[in-house]
Amino acid sequence: VVDSVPPVAICQDITIQLDHLGLASIQPIDIDGGSNDACGIQGLAIDKSQFSCGDVGPNTVTLTVTDNNGNQSSCQATVTVVDSVPPVAICQDITIQLDHLGLASIQPIDIDGGSNDACGIHGLAIDKSQFGCGDVGPNTVTLTVTDNNGNQSSCQATVTVVDSVPPVAICQDITIQLDHLGLASIQPIDIDGGSNDACGIQGLAIDKSQFSCGDVGPNTVTLTVTDNNGNQSSCQATVTVVDSVPPV
C-alpha cells in the first residue's frame, strides 16, 4: 500500500509585535491554520522565523507540511510585523546665556541626553527654542522623540537662562550753577547720556550729588548703571561747578 496523497496545507495570517530590542520570532504552529492529512502530520516547517526592525510591515512566510509518509504541501501566510514600542526619551538640563540683544536659542539636540530606540530615531522636537529677557531663570522645555516607525516619547529638561551681559553706561558732561547759598545738587539722570541694556535698566546711581563753594571748577563724578538682572557698568562725567552769584 502506497500513500502518495499530499497533506492539506492551510495557512493563517498573523500580526506580531517587536520587543524592546527590536526583535520577534514565530513558530510554524503560529501560521498553521489547521493543516491535515488522513494518515497524520509528521511535521511543520517555515522558511523564516526571526524578524527585526527591517521587517516592519507585511512579510510572506512559507509553511511546509510533511505527512507521516513523507508527502509534502506548502502554503503562504502574511506575517505583519509591528513596532509599537516607544523610544526611550532622555533629557538633560542646560544653562544658556543671553546675547547683547537679550536673545538666545537652542536646538533639540542641546537638551537630548541620549534618547534611543531599537529601530532608530527619526527626529527630535522641542516646544520652545527661542528665549529672551522675560525668560531669565529656569524654563521647562519638553523634548519629543519620534522613532523610525512613528512611535513617540517625551521628557522635560530645565533650560536656565542667564543674563550676564552688563549694561552700556553712557555719561555726559554738565555744568551746574551754585545758588545764593553756595550750594548745588544733581541727580543721576543729569549725567546719563543714554545708558541702555537689552533687558532694561533697573537703576542709576552717582558717587557725588552735592556741591558747594569748594567744588567750583571741574569735578569727576562716577555714574553706575544697574540692569534688571543685576549686572553693572559705570562711566565718568565731568561736572563743572560755576559760581556766578555776586556778593551781597
Side-chain angles (χ1 to χ4, degrees):
V1 177
V2 176
D3 173 18
S4 60
V5 178
V8 178
I10 303 173
C11 283
Q12 62 180 357
D13 298 335
I14 61 171
T15 297
I16 60 173
Q17 169 66 53
L18 295 180
D19 63 17
H20 69 285
L21 297 176
L23 303 174
S25 63
I26 62 171
Q27 301 295 321
I29 194 68
D30 295 326
I31 63 168
D32 179 47
S35 301
N36 59 84
D37 186 88
C39 292
I41 300 297
Q42 186 270 325
L44 304 173
I46 49 178
D47 64 347
K48 183 175 177 65
S49 62
Q50 301 296 319
F51 301 85
S52 63
C53 298
D55 300 307
V56 169
N59 298 265
T60 299
V61 178
T62 299
L63 173 70
T64 299
V65 182
T66 304
D67 69 16
N68 284 326
N69 292 305
N71 301 298
Q72 290 185 328
S73 291
S74 63
C75 59
Q76 291 182 321
T78 298
V79 177
T80 302
V81 178
V82 175
D83 171 24
S84 60
V85 178
V88 178
I90 303 174
C91 283
Q92 62 180 358
D93 298 336
I94 61 171
T95 297
I96 59 174
Q97 169 66 54
L98 295 180
D99 62 18
H100 68 286
L101 297 176
L103 302 174
S105 64
I106 63 171
Q107 301 295 322
I109 194 69
D110 295 325
I111 63 168
D112 178 48
S115 301
N116 60 84
D117 185 89
C119 291
I121 300 297
H122 167 70
L124 305 172
I126 49 179
D127 64 345
K128 183 175 177 65
S129 62
Q130 302 295 320
F131 300 85
C133 297
D135 300 306
V136 169
N139 298 265
T140 299
V141 178
T142 299
L143 172 71
T144 299
V145 183
T146 304
D147 70 17
N148 284 327
N149 292 306
N151 302 297
Q152 291 186 328
S153 290
S154 62
C155 57
Q156 291 183 320
T158 298
V159 176
T160 302
V161 177
V162 175
D163 171 24
S164 60
V165 178
V168 178
I170 303 173
C171 284
Q172 61 181 357
D173 298 335
I174 61 172
T175 297
I176 60 174
Q177 170 67 53
L178 295 179
D179 62 16
H180 68 285
L181 297 176
L183 302 174
S185 64
I186 63 171
Q187 300 295 321
I189 195 69
D190 295 326
I191 63 168
D192 178 49
S195 301
N196 61 84
D197 185 89
C199 291
I201 300 297
Q202 186 269 327
L204 305 172
I206 49 178
D207 64 346
K208 183 175 177 65
S209 62
Q210 302 296 320
F211 300 87
S212 62
C213 297
D215 300 307
V216 170
N219 298 264
T220 299
V221 178
T222 299
L223 173 70
T224 300
V225 182
T226 304
D227 70 17
N228 284 327
N229 292 306
N231 302 297
Q232 291 185 328
S233 290
S234 62
C235 58
Q236 291 182 322
T238 298
V239 176
T240 301
V241 178
V242 175
D243 174 17
S244 59
V245 178
V248 178

